[in-house]
Amino acid sequence: MAIAHFLFGILGNATALFLFLSPTITFKRIIKNKSTEEFSGIPYVMTLLNCLLAAWYGLPFVSPNNILVATINGTGSVIESIYVIIFIIFAAKREKAKIFGLLMFVLAVFAMVALVSLLALHDKSRKIFCGFATTIFSIIMYASPLSIMRTVIKTKSVEFMPFFLSLFVFLCGTSWFVFGLLGGDPFVYVPNGFGCGLGTMQLILYFIYRNKKGGTKKPPSTSAEESLEMGLPKPNQAKKSNTNGSLAQPEHDV
């Protein structure tokens, strides 16, 4: 049982790392163009909060036997922090202020959870408090593709829902779901069971609509790779040419 628990934790680390790294395509574009264009920075800030809370929850003095939860989410916190910093550097003034304000809020929430759990709570109560906080934001993170799934059904097209992203959402959710079950930890298996279910639904939709042509056409300059990230572009926002013929990238979904 302990070996299986460890192996599923390793698999969860690998699949989660893929999800964390998938937006690098977008950020290469942002750096190259020195502009965030119409991308949204909100998904990265909220994913940062989720990673911080999950990393804190996985620490031994909060919840024993969850060190693999702490390692991957600690790594995710670093990666998401880099994304947020890059976004703030290249964003327009108003967007820069909005994302910076949200970042301060996220850090304040994390600091509050950490301080309360350290100074006011002990043992089981500490684990429950941190576990509930982690579960809430994990479910929010996993629920972000719901609008994309709705659009797939509406348009009968999977152009905005890349197969490999759906596959790794499923693998990541399933790995941590089994990890949580084997460890008897509802704060791990409940949110990741939700993620596993959503990943399954995405794969089912993909195989139903993969060969069907929907009513929405993909803009010529949009590639599948540019959509291969946790914050997918809003499908209802087509790229529009501006006066000099350049294209604006759709904003990410939250």
Side-chain angles (χ1 to χ4, degrees):
M1 187 73 73
I3 295 176
H5 185 248
F6 176 77
L7 289 177
F8 274 100
I10 294 297
L11 179 59
N13 271 250
T15 53
L17 184 61
F18 174 87
L19 291 178
F20 290 142
L21 291 176
S22 59
T24 54
I25 297 167
T26 293
F27 282 90
K28 285 180 180 178
R29 171 174 175 160
I30 288 174
I31 294 171
K32 181 180 179 180
N33 295 338
K34 296 182 179 180
S35 170
T36 58
E37 303 173 50
E38 294 301 315
F39 286 108
S40 171
I42 295 175
Y44 310 108
V45 184
M46 298 311 296
T47 302
L48 173 60
L49 176 57
N50 177 71
C51 288
L52 288 170
L53 291 173
W56 183 260
Y57 176 75
L59 294 175
F61 61 85
V62 177
S63 73
N65 304 318
N66 277 325
I67 192 63
L68 289 174
V69 174
T71 56
I72 186 57
N73 283 286
T75 303
S77 298
V78 174
I79 294 172
E80 297 300 327
S81 296
I82 294 171
Y83 293 155
V84 173
I85 291 171
I86 293 173
F87 195 92
I88 290 174
I89 290 172
F90 293 106
K93 189 173 182 180
R94 178 179 292 183
E95 185 71 8
K96 191 191 301 281
K98 182 177 75 173
I99 297 303
F100 183 78
L102 183 59
L103 175 61
M104 292 301 102
F105 170 76
V106 161
L107 295 178
V109 170
F110 171 67
M112 182 191 69
V113 171
L115 288 174
V116 170
S117 65
L118 274 178
L119 303 177
L121 302 172
H122 303 280
D123 302 326
K124 189 175 181 180
S125 59
R126 175 185 291 166
K127 179 178 179 179
I128 292 173
F129 175 73
C130 295
F132 270 114
T134 302
T135 298
I136 291 169
F137 285 99
S138 291
I139 289 176
I140 290 173
M141 185 182 73
Y142 273 126
S144 61
L146 284 174
S147 62
I148 299 296
M149 294 167 63
R150 183 174 64 248
T151 301
V152 169
I153 296 172
K154 184 177 179 180
T155 63
K156 302 185 188 307
S157 170
V158 295
E159 61 180 320
F160 293 105
M161 192 177 72
F163 171 74
F164 283 106
L165 181 64
S166 299
L167 176 63
F168 276 88
V169 168
F170 168 75
L171 291 175
C172 183
T174 302
S175 300
W176 289 114
F177 173 65
V178 176
F179 179 87
L181 283 178
L182 294 174
D185 192 334
F187 297 120
V188 176
Y189 67 70
V190 169
N192 287 289
F194 183 76
C196 174
L198 279 177
T200 302
M201 291 169 61
Q202 288 180 45
L203 289 175
I204 291 172
L205 286 176
Y206 184 88
F207 284 107
I208 291 175
Y209 295 113
R210 72 185 190 280
N211 293 323
K212 297 183 179 180
K213 295 182 179 179
T216 309
K217 293 184 179 180
K218 183 186 292 187
S221 61
T222 303
S223 67
E225 286 186 341
E226 287 177 337
S227 298
L228 189 59
E229 55 177 288
M230 297 178 71
L232 293 169
K234 290 182 179 178
N236 59 337
Q237 293 183 351
K239 288 183 179 179
K240 297 179 180 180
S241 298
N242 59 23
T243 54
N244 61 9
S246 62
L247 295 173
Q249 177 71 18
E251 185 174 297
H252 285 174
D253 224 333
V254 177

